[in-house]
């Protein structure tokens, strides 16, 4: 970056250092620069761009988006100098100096902000400054950054402080429902400087610390410290072993935890961890529900390709629907960086002999084939080194096919060279490990018996990896008849005429007319292990040669799943298969991929340009192996003839029981795009947990509703699931607002079952870095003989250490009553659609501990502590004690305690507040003690 400083500046003297360059860049960017923002083919828009005070985002004005007109620094992927983006290439003239041009690629969908400065010096300043900021942002700064942004946005009058009124507005925005008297008390405690009646930033941090101290974590901590306010190394080891199921803990590892997360100097000196440090640790990746080891490749990558699920994109080039959306070369960069390993390239004859990519006869824009290949070459291995598959749908003439082959070899070079792959293993597909750094071309191939000297030949118009395959009339297989009937069906044409466009109908008719095509030898020779073939017979095909790929649309695949599920699993053990969305999905919607994963289908093609539930499932699936784009199938799918549609797909195997205790929530926002935004009512959240896997395993359960609390709601409920095949199951956590106006969905996080960590864990909602729910995870294997002879019941904690969250005084209503009551908290519309599996909705399962059956005797053994958590008098510090989970026990609360706060609860809150004041007095006053727990 030093090179971006001007030569005159560098010659000024040795005192000019890199820090001077950065400081100058930051100052210039914060002062702001007038630049031209390019958009489409119109003249650019002149806007004033500047870096905000906290150096966390770029803003510009004027804008119709007002305060939302910004790009956060941590969303920036790349800053490119010169005229390299697609939008710059649209400007054929040379009106812009390349030295004044640069592009910022940002966001999940990799959008580009293309800017032209008035001089080259300004452009270099922004490029240097942005690259520095991109390198300097760390996870440890996230809370500080959020607090700075929150403080700035809450400061309505811009005086650098927050009044009591601004604090009340902020708390409402944060979904904090506290009595005004309580807020004023904490406000006054935090207001310690000479200027009374307002909070500066440091005072605001202290105020935030007061409202964010976690009761649930505090009570877990003191249960392992024998009522002390800190955990020593022995206490910490016992917690990690008993609850988090960690083994082989060394003293050095425990010391590292304290040193990294404990902010109090006194505690560091004593080598103990207090509530601040314990909260920091539990809120770190070490306390996340996702196994941190799964952020890297952790599966065997040496098996044949047909033993893996492969992340696959459909209509990769499109930014939206199939009729009117744009084709953008940046979409290839986006999907490859998202972990996709199979991209689709629809090739057509273009002007001037240059092949182009677009979507059939629709109105989508066109991009150059060469630009796409260059983009793929640049981004193919930025996130994963495992092979990329180019699924080519070839509609080009032979001359332009030769041009395609020329570009592929010229740009990709040794990435296409497969000579190092052992030819003696031709009966099996090579492994992802052997094919590291390679790109496979999937497409048609000339017949083997054709004269090798011939430069081109005829091939039947077989399946090429996308919709619109033609099938010969003389094929009599179930699959081919189904496809053939689809194109002959007059109702299909009528539907297209009425609801879509004439251009789409012309496209389909043209596909029907084509029988054979001419194929270039140069392009055919690039196809090695992924030859496109038609499915003839799923029972016998692929025994002779596994170097082939078949593609079928979801309609046909659904029929096969119903008629021949076991045979489909067998077929997928021998050769690759690709499933793509139906032609009816002109809106680029996605199907449910789980149904096809259940049968072992390798490449389940998703519209990565369409966000939503189905793409979230795909993301969760492939996150469990470092997001490398390959997931190893379970052994039974690679060898056994399982039937995924049966209630007992694996006879002789037991079940796995998942016991989830939904404890609390942290900093849950209002529903996105709610009608009244931040001014709306405080949310009434509840949690829904869904198992997505084999049909027999699919189910949903949910918690009760907590009224008027999105900041720190407490549910304290247990959900139990019994799962036949957890190896392919996903667990989806969703948070909803019961008292909604408009959209009531708040957020979700989906995790592969195999990636879930046991013990006390935080489930962070996707795209909401600080919003989470706090849960306890317990997983138990239930042998088949136990399943048959005994009903499944949740496990019980060892009797030596008991804890509970106070439950209602009277026994809970029976299941039918609970179901009826809770139905009011369900999303308003729950219909079965092709996008979601059939589920068996069950109410939350509440259970009791041993010893809780005798209410009177139990009340003598348990003494309540803060917030209703109870410790038995037998609490021990011995290493074999355990608090395996928070458990429900009856208590003698008055009727209606579930809705209103009783005297006992108020007394415990007073005790808790007193304890918190004592803790704050002993904690350091510096910002480093601020909790990361909203």
């Amino acid at each position: 970056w030093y090179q971006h400083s001007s030569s005159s500046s560098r010659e000024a003297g040795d005192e000019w250092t890199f820090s001077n360059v950065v400081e100058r860049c930051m100052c210039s960017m914060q002062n702001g620069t007038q630049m031209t923002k390019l958009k489409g083919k119109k003249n650019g828009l002149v806007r004033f761009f500047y870096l905000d005070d906290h150096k966390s985002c770029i803003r510009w004005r004027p804008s119709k988006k007002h305060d939302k007109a910004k790009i956060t620094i941590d969303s920036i992927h790349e800053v490119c100098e010169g005229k390299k983006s697609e939008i710059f290439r649209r400007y054929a003239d040379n009106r812009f100096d390349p030295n004044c041009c640069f592009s910022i690629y940002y966001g999940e969908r990799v959008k580009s902000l293309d800017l032209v400065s008035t001089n080259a010096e300004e452009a270099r300043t922004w490029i240097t400054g942005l690259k520095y900021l991109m390198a300097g942002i760390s996870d440890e700064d996230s809370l500080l950054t959020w607090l700075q942004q929150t403080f700035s946005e809450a400061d309505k009058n811009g005086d650098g402080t927050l009044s009591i009124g601004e604090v009340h507005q902020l708390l409402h925005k944060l979904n904090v429902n506290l009595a005004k008297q309580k807020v004023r008390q904490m406000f006054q405690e935090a207001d310690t400087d000479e200027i009374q009646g307002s909070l500066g930033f440091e005072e605001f941090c202290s105020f935030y610390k007061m409202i964010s101290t976690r009761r649930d974590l505090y009570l877990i901590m003191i249960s392992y410290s024998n009522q002390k306010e800190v955990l020593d190394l022995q206490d910490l080891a016992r917690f990690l072993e008993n609850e988090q199921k960690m083994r082989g803990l060394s003293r050095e590892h425990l010391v590292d935890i304290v040193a990294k997360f404990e902010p109090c100097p006194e505690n560091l000196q004593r080598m103990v961890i207090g509530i601040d440090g314990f909260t920091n640790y539990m809120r770190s990746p070490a306390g996340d529900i996702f196994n941190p080891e799964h952020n890297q490749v952790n599966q065997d990558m040496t098996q044949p390709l047909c033993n893996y699920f492969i992340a696959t994109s459909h209509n990769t080039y499109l930014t939206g629907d199939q009729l009117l959306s744009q084709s953008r070369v940046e979409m290839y960069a986006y999907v490859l960086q998202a972990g996709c390993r199979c991209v689709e390239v629809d090739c057509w004859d273009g002007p001037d002999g240059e092949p182009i990519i677009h979507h059939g006869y629709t109105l989508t824009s066109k991009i150059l084939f060469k630009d796409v290949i260059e983009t793929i070459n640049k981004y193919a291995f930025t996130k994963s080194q495992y092979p990329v598959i180019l699924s080519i749908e070839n509609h080009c003439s032979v001359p332009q096919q030769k041009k395609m082959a020329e570009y592929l070899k010229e740009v990709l070079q040794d990435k296409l060279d497969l000579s190092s792959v052992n030819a003696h293993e031709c009966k099996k597909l090579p492994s992802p490990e052997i094919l590291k750094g390679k790109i496979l071309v999937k497409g048609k191939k000339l017949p083997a018996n054709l004269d090798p000297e011939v430069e081109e030949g005829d091939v039947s118009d077989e399946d090429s990896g996308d919709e619109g395959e033609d099938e010969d009339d003389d094929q009599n297989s179930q699959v081919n008849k189904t496809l053939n009937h689809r194109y002959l069906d007059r109702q299909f044409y009528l539907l297209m005429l009425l609801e879509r466009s004439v251009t789409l109908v012309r496209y389909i008719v043209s596909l029907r007319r084509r029988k054979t095509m001419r194929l270039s030898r140069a392009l055919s020779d690039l196809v090695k292990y992924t030859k496109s073939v038609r499915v003839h017979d799923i029972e016998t095909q692929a025994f002779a040669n596994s170097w082939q790929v078949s593609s079928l649309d979801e309609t046909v695949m659904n029929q096969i799943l119903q008629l021949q599920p076991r045979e489909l699993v067998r077929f997928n053990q021998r050769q690759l298969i690709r499933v793509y969305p139906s032609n009816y999905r002109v809106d680029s919607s996605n199907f449910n991929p789980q149904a096809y994963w259940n049968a072992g289908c390798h490449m389940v093609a998703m519209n990565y340009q369409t966000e939503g539930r189905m793409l979230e499932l795909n993301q969760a699936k492939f996150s469990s192996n470092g997001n490398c784009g390959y997931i190893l199938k379970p052994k039974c799918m690679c060898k056994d003839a399982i039937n995924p549609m049966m209630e007992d797909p694996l006879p002789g195997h037991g079940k796995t029981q998942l016991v989830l205790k939904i404890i609390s929530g942290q900093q849950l926002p209002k529903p996105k795009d709610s009608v009244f935004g931040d001014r709306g009512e405080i949310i009434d959240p509840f949690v829904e947990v869904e198992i997505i896997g084999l049909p027999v395993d699919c189910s949903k359960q949910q918690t009760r509703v907590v009224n008027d609390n999105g900041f720190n709601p407490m549910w304290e409920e247990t959900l139990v699931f019994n799962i036949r095949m957890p190896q392919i199951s996903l667990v989806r956590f969703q948070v909803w607002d019961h008292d909604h106006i408009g959209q009531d969905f708040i957020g979700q996080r989906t995790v592969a079952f195999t990636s879930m960590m046991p013990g006390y864990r935080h489930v962070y909602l996707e795209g909401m870095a600080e919003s989470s729910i706090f849960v306890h995870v317990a997983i138990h294997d239930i042998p088949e003989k136990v399943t048959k002879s005994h009903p499944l019941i949740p496990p019980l904690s060892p009797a030596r250490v008991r804890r509970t969250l106070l439950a209602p005084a009277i026994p809970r209503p029976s299941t039918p009553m609970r179901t009826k009551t809770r139905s009011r908290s369900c999303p308003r519309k729950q219909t079965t659609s092709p996008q979601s599996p059939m589920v068996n909705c069950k109410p939350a399962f509440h259970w009791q501990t041993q010893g809780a059956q005798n209410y009177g005797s139990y009340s003598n053994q348990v003494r309540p502590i803060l917030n209703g958590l109870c410790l038995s008098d037998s609490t021990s510090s011995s290493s074999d004690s355990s608090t395996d989970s928070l458990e429900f026990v009856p208590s003698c609360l008055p009727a209606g305690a579930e809705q209103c706060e009783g005297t006992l609860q108020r007394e415990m809150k007073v005790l808790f507040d007193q304890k918190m004041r004592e803790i704050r007095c002993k904690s350091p006053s510096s910002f480093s003690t601020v909790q990361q727990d909203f």
Side-chain angles (χ1 to χ4, degrees):
W1 301 322
Y2 179 78
Q3 64 184 350
H4 292 303
S5 62
S6 65
S7 57
S8 60
S9 299
R10 291 196 299 270
E11 294 170 359
D14 294 336
E15 70 278 2
W16 187 265
T17 64
F18 175 69
S19 60
N20 298 129
V21 175
V22 171
E23 183 178 355
R24 178 182 173 185
C25 289
M26 295 299 106
C27 181
S28 177
M29 292 165 69
Q30 288 185 317
N31 288 335
T33 306
Q34 186 168 289
M35 292 186 283
T36 302
K37 173 184 175 185
L38 299 187
K39 190 173 182 180
K41 296 182 179 180
K42 300 178 181 178
N43 293 329
L45 305 173
V46 177
R47 295 290 184 264
F48 183 75
F49 292 84
Y50 63 97
L51 182 68
D52 74 337
D53 293 339
H54 307 303
K55 302 178 184 178
S56 61
C57 61
I58 306 168
R59 295 181 179 271
W60 61 89
R61 61 176 185 261
S63 174
K64 295 179 180 179
K65 297 181 180 178
H66 305 293
D67 291 342
K68 294 184 179 180
K70 64 180 181 180
I71 297 174
T72 59
I73 299 298
D74 56 2
S75 72
I76 298 176
H77 300 285
E78 186 178 6
V79 179
C80 291
E81 306 174 52
K83 303 165 66 174
K84 297 180 181 178
S85 74
E86 180 188 353
I87 289 183
F88 273 119
R89 289 197 293 268
R90 291 182 189 176
Y91 288 82
D93 52 28
N94 296 318
R95 75 176 92 167
F96 301 127
D97 180 358
N99 295 320
C100 298
C101 302
F102 65 99
S103 299
I104 301 171
Y105 293 93
Y106 67 97
E108 294 184 356
R109 299 270 296 275
V110 194
K111 300 178 182 178
S112 66
L113 174 64
D114 304 283
L115 300 173
V116 181
S117 61
T118 56
N119 58 71
E121 180 71 18
E122 289 179 346
R124 284 195 294 269
T125 295
W126 276 87
I127 293 169
T128 301
L130 288 174
K131 288 187 175 182
Y132 170 77
L133 290 171
M134 289 167 62
I137 291 292
S138 66
D139 292 338
E140 295 161 3
D141 299 327
S142 61
L143 178 65
L144 175 59
T145 300
W146 180 87
L147 286 169
Q148 289 172 332
Q149 291 177 343
T150 301
F151 180 83
S152 177
E153 292 173 2
D155 183 15
K156 300 298 184 182
N157 58 9
D159 64 355
T161 64
L162 299 185
S163 65
I164 186 68
E166 289 172 329
V167 167
H168 278 301
Q169 292 180 23
L170 174 61
L171 293 179
H172 190 85
K173 176 182 177 180
L174 296 178
N175 282 310
V176 181
N177 188 16
L178 291 175
K180 290 186 177 181
Q181 182 178 358
K182 182 67 175 178
V183 174
R184 182 169 294 279
Q185 176 186 344
M186 291 188 292
F187 184 94
Q188 292 172 350
E189 289 183 30
D191 189 7
T192 57
D193 63 8
E194 297 178 353
I195 306 175
Q196 293 292 298
S198 62
L199 302 180
F201 179 67
E202 295 297 329
E203 293 173 316
F204 167 68
C205 291
S206 299
F207 175 83
Y208 177 78
K209 176 181 172 63
M210 295 178 191
I211 67 172
S212 62
T213 301
R214 291 274 297 278
R215 302 184 181 203
D216 45 10
L217 292 178
Y218 172 75
L219 294 167
I220 293 170
M221 185 192 75
I222 65 171
S223 70
Y224 271 91
S225 64
N226 280 329
Q227 308 300 302
K228 302 191 304 289
E229 294 175 0
V230 294
L231 293 169
D232 60 27
L233 295 184
Q234 184 180 359
D235 298 332
L236 180 59
R238 192 165 60 254
F239 167 76
L240 296 177
E241 290 173 353
N242 293 345
E243 301 293 351
Q244 310 302 81
K245 307 304 178 186
M246 298 174 66
R247 298 291 180 264
L249 293 170
S250 65
R251 189 178 191 281
E252 290 73 19
H253 181 70
L254 299 170
V255 169
D256 287 343
I257 291 176
V258 175
K260 182 176 181 180
F261 296 102
E262 176 55 49
C264 176
E266 294 180 9
N267 289 345
L268 285 173
Q269 189 173 6
R270 296 166 53 201
M271 198 45 62
V272 296
I273 191 166
I275 183 60
D276 290 354
F278 186 64
T279 301
N280 291 340
Y281 174 74
M282 293 300 291
R283 293 285 293 177
S284 75
D288 191 86
I289 195 170
F290 185 81
N291 188 339
E293 294 181 359
H294 289 189
N295 286 316
Q296 291 80 38
V297 175
N298 57 85
Q299 299 177 356
D300 179 11
M301 303 301 290
T302 63
Q303 299 186 28
L305 281 179
C306 57
N307 285 6
Y308 296 86
F309 299 111
I310 305 173
T312 303
S313 169
H314 178 249
N315 289 344
T316 309
Y317 45 86
L318 289 182
T319 59
D321 67 74
Q322 299 180 20
L323 290 178
L324 301 175
S325 71
Q326 298 298 308
S327 297
R328 297 281 299 274
V329 69
E330 287 86 0
M331 291 303 297
Y332 287 91
Y334 162 61
V335 301
L336 289 169
Q337 291 189 106
C340 181
R341 295 285 87 190
C342 178
V343 297
E344 186 176 16
V345 186
D346 289 2
C347 305
W348 301 78
D349 281 351
D352 304 321
E354 291 293 331
I356 57 176
I357 293 174
H358 65 97
H359 195 263
Y361 289 102
T362 59
L363 304 179
T364 61
S365 58
K366 302 169 177 61
I367 51 180
L368 293 175
F369 177 81
K370 185 179 181 181
D371 289 346
V372 169
I373 301 305
E374 288 177 343
T375 300
I376 292 173
N377 183 57
K378 180 177 181 180
Y379 290 97
F381 303 108
T382 55
K383 295 296 181 182
S384 171
Q385 292 299 307
Y386 294 105
V388 175
I389 300 172
L390 301 187
S391 182
I392 293 182
E393 183 178 343
N394 181 11
H395 304 278
C396 292
S397 60
V398 170
Q400 297 210 15
Q401 290 178 34
K402 292 180 180 179
K403 199 78 169 179
M404 290 165 56
E406 177 186 331
Y407 287 141
L408 286 167
K409 290 184 286 189
E410 173 189 318
V411 175
L412 300 180
Q413 300 183 10
D414 61 337
K415 295 183 179 70
L416 288 178
D417 182 12
L418 300 177
S419 58
S420 60
V421 180
N422 192 342
H424 297 293
E425 297 182 354
C426 61
K427 291 185 178 180
K428 294 192 303 183
L429 283 166
S431 69
E433 185 67 30
I434 291 177
L435 294 172
K436 262 187 174 181
K438 300 299 182 182
I439 292 179
L440 304 178
V441 177
K442 171 186 170 294
K444 302 174 184 178
K445 197 168 179 65
L446 290 173
N449 58 1
L450 191 67
D451 185 346
E453 301 299 322
V454 175
E455 293 188 358
E456 60 186 74
D458 288 335
V459 292
S460 61
D461 191 14
E462 295 180 343
D463 173 10
S464 59
D466 197 4
E467 55 265 72
E469 310 91 355
D470 176 74
E471 301 293 346
D472 295 335
D473 292 338
D474 59 354
Q475 300 296 326
N476 59 7
S477 70
Q478 178 74 31
V479 173
N480 293 330
K481 285 194 296 183
T482 304
L483 284 172
N484 196 38
H485 290 165
R486 284 192 59 210
Y487 294 112
L488 295 175
D489 190 347
R490 294 182 180 180
Q491 292 182 355
F492 174 76
Y493 291 112
L494 181 60
L495 179 63
M496 292 296 98
L497 284 168
L498 294 175
E499 296 186 359
R500 308 304 177 191
S501 72
V502 175
T503 55
L504 187 59
V505 176
R506 290 171 53 198
Y507 173 47
I508 296 171
V509 171
S510 69
L511 291 170
R512 180 61 187 143
R513 290 172 181 167
R514 292 162 49 204
K515 294 293 183 182
T516 62
M517 68 170 292
R518 298 291 286 178
L519 180 62
S520 161
R521 167 75 67 182
L523 188 59
S524 171
D525 287 347
L526 296 180
V527 178
K528 301 290 186 183
Y529 294 102
T530 46
K531 173 188 175 182
S532 293
V533 299
R534 183 194 300 119
V535 175
H536 298 283
D537 184 353
I538 65 171
E539 294 190 39
T540 61
Q541 188 168 332
F543 275 111
N545 189 350
S546 62
W547 292 7
Q548 52 194 28
V549 184
S550 300
S551 292
L552 294 171
D553 82 347
E554 61 177 299
T555 305
V556 178
M557 287 301 302
N558 290 340
Q559 288 192 359
I560 297 176
L561 277 173
Q562 293 297 322
L563 298 174
Q564 296 175 291
R566 191 186 302 270
E567 291 77 6
L568 180 59
V569 174
R570 282 288 196 190
F571 179 89
N572 289 327
Q573 293 170 0
R574 301 190 297 268
Q575 76 153 65
L576 297 177
I577 197 167
R578 179 177 180 270
V579 187
Y580 61 88
S582 164
N583 285 325
Y584 287 104
R585 296 184 184 271
V586 293
D587 60 348
S588 292
S589 59
N590 279 313
F591 48 45
N592 178 10
Q594 186 66 45
Y596 311 116
W597 292 329
N598 290 344
C601 297
H602 314 85
M603 294 182 283
V604 181
M606 306 294 290
N607 287 301
Y608 274 67
Q609 68 271 27
T610 305
E611 298 176 352
R613 171 189 170 91
M614 302 313 171
L615 197 62
E616 290 161 359
L617 301 186
N618 189 74
Q619 179 184 355
K621 178 78 171 179
F622 289 96
S623 293
S624 61
N625 193 28
N627 202 29
C628 73
Y630 288 82
I631 296 292
L632 185 63
K633 296 182 189 178
K635 289 183 179 179
C636 61
M637 278 194 170
C638 300
K639 298 180 179 180
D640 301 334
I642 68 170
N643 187 338
M645 307 303 287
M646 297 289 289
E647 289 191 11
D648 189 7
L650 297 170
H653 291 69
K655 295 182 180 180
T656 297
Q657 186 179 75
L658 172 63
V659 182
L660 278 175
K661 303 186 179 179
I662 313 299
I663 301 170
S664 62
Q666 296 77 43
Q667 193 57 37
L668 303 176
K670 292 178 172 62
K672 186 179 180 181
D673 300 326
S674 60
V675 176
F676 297 107
D678 295 334
R679 296 174 295 130
E681 293 182 355
I682 294 175
I683 62 173
D684 306 320
F686 69 95
V687 178
E688 180 181 76
V689 180
E690 180 180 3
I691 304 298
I692 301 163
L694 294 181
V696 68
D697 290 335
C698 291
S699 63
K700 284 183 185 178
Q701 295 181 41
Q702 61 192 38
T703 67
R704 63 185 174 87
V705 173
V706 172
N707 293 324
D708 293 331
N709 192 341
F711 190 74
N712 56 356
M714 299 289 290
W715 290 287
E716 304 157 2
E717 292 197 47
T718 301
L719 314 177
V720 180
F721 299 90
N722 298 310
I723 305 172
R724 281 283 184 185
M725 198 168 179
Q727 304 97 313
I728 61 170
S729 296
L730 304 174
V731 183
R732 184 173 173 87
F733 298 85
Q734 296 185 103
V735 182
W736 300 83
D737 176 18
H738 168 56
D739 206 11
H740 68 284
I741 299 177
Q743 191 175 6
D744 57 0
F745 175 74
I746 293 175
Q748 67 84 33
R749 174 83 178 276
T750 307
V751 184
F753 186 98
T754 54
S755 294
M756 290 178 60
M757 293 292 283
Y760 289 103
R761 302 290 169 182
H762 284 93
V763 182
Y764 292 93
L765 302 185
E766 204 72 46
M768 306 176 192
E770 303 299 335
S771 301
S772 63
I773 54 178
F774 188 49
V775 303
H776 184 277
V777 180
I779 299 172
H780 309 277
D781 292 328
I782 310 297
E784 180 70 10
K785 57 183 180 180
V786 174
T787 302
K788 292 180 178 180
S789 59
H790 301 286
L792 295 176
I793 60 173
L796 300 177
S797 299
R800 298 197 61 178
V801 178
R802 298 261 181 225
R803 283 172 298 144
T804 183
L805 293 166
L806 287 178
I810 57 176
R812 293 185 181 273
S814 61
T815 299
M817 187 177 298
R818 285 297 304 276
T819 304
K820 182 178 180 180
T821 302
R822 184 164 301 140
S823 65
R824 291 182 288 113
S825 65
C826 292
R828 290 298 185 267
K829 185 177 182 181
Q830 292 189 354
T831 58
T832 302
S833 68
Q835 295 186 349
S836 59
M838 293 294 291
V839 297
N840 179 20
C841 295
K842 304 174 183 177
F845 182 71
H846 299 272
W847 48 279
Q848 303 167 350
T849 63
Q850 291 176 338
Q853 297 172 358
N854 186 333
Y855 298 173
S857 61
Y858 191 87
S859 63
N860 293 329
Q861 298 172 6
V862 180
R863 51 190 173 82
I865 56 177
L866 310 181
N867 196 38
L869 264 175
C870 297
L871 296 173
S872 74
D873 289 333
S874 61
T875 300
S876 171
S877 62
S878 62
S879 61
D880 62 347
S881 65
S882 173
T883 54
D884 184 57
S885 57
L886 293 173
E887 302 185 66
F888 292 93
V889 300
S891 62
C892 298
L893 291 179
E898 194 170 20
Q899 280 73 32
C900 60
E901 188 175 82
T903 303
L904 181 59
Q905 289 175 292
R906 288 196 297 270
E907 290 176 354
M908 287 189 289
K909 286 187 177 181
V910 171
L911 289 174
F912 181 82
D913 293 339
Q914 179 182 352
K915 184 66 67 176
M916 289 298 101
R917 284 193 293 272
E918 294 174 3
I919 292 173
R920 286 195 294 271
C921 292
K922 297 178 181 180
S923 298
S925 58
S926 63
F927 169 75
S928 62
T929 63
V930 176
Q931 303 299 307
Q932 296 189 34
D933 66 63
F934 74 96

